Amino acid sequence: MQLIYFVLVIIALTVYSLKQHGYQLPLFINNFLNDLLCLPIVLGIITRVIQFLKKDSEFKLPIGFIICLATYYSIYFEYYQPRVNNRYTSDWIDVLLYFIGGFSYFFISRYKTNKKSI
């Protein structure tokens, strides 16, 4: 599972770096990929920190927390930030991608737990 998170972080950093250096990327990658990867990466980090602090390697974030974080990101980055900073634009597809990423994280982390117990 750590390899998956490492790969996701490398992909997100690569996309960000290429965009910063003016490379022309395909539309989906340029506009949406990092929004899709954002919550799985953030949730993975939060999970690892809590596991470390609680000394509980089996700790999993509850679905309610994941939904709240996806809602927060949606409101903050797609409603609030576009109103106060011209760099941001509001896009309902990004909201959908935050939730897809969050639910993907939830199901993949649960699949890993269920598979381990078999």
Side-chain angles (χ1 to χ4, degrees):
M1 201 61 156
Q2 289 177 333
L3 179 61
I4 292 172
Y5 294 115
F6 179 73
V7 169
L8 293 180
V9 169
I10 294 300
I11 291 169
L13 290 173
T14 300
V15 169
Y16 179 78
S17 179
L18 290 172
K19 286 171 62 171
Q20 291 298 320
H21 289 92
Y23 286 93
Q24 197 66 19
L25 299 170
L27 181 66
F28 176 80
I29 293 172
N30 188 62
N31 295 344
F32 302 117
L33 184 60
N34 278 356
D35 295 315
L36 179 63
L37 298 178
C38 176
L39 277 184
I41 292 169
V42 170
L43 291 167
I45 292 168
I46 291 170
T47 300
R48 291 290 181 207
V49 168
I50 292 173
Q51 287 174 341
F52 174 77
L53 293 174
K54 291 183 74 164
K55 295 176 182 24
D56 178 5
S57 64
E58 298 300 315
F59 174 83
K60 302 286 183 228
L61 291 170
I63 190 68
F65 179 83
I66 294 169
I67 292 170
C68 285
L69 192 62
T71 301
Y72 172 79
Y73 269 60
S74 297
I75 292 168
Y76 184 75
F77 288 109
E78 306 304 323
Y79 177 77
Y80 174 73
Q81 279 294 342
R83 284 165 174 62
V84 299
N85 189 334
N86 291 335
R87 180 181 175 275
Y88 291 88
T89 58
S90 182
D91 186 354
W92 67 271
I93 295 174
D94 291 347
V95 172
L96 183 63
L97 292 171
Y98 293 141
F99 280 92
I100 290 171
F103 286 123
S104 297
Y105 172 82
F106 176 78
F107 289 116
I108 289 170
S109 68
R110 292 319 187 265
Y111 173 76
K112 176 190 165 210
T113 299
N114 292 341
K115 191 174 182 181
K116 196 187 271 186
S117 64
I118 293 177

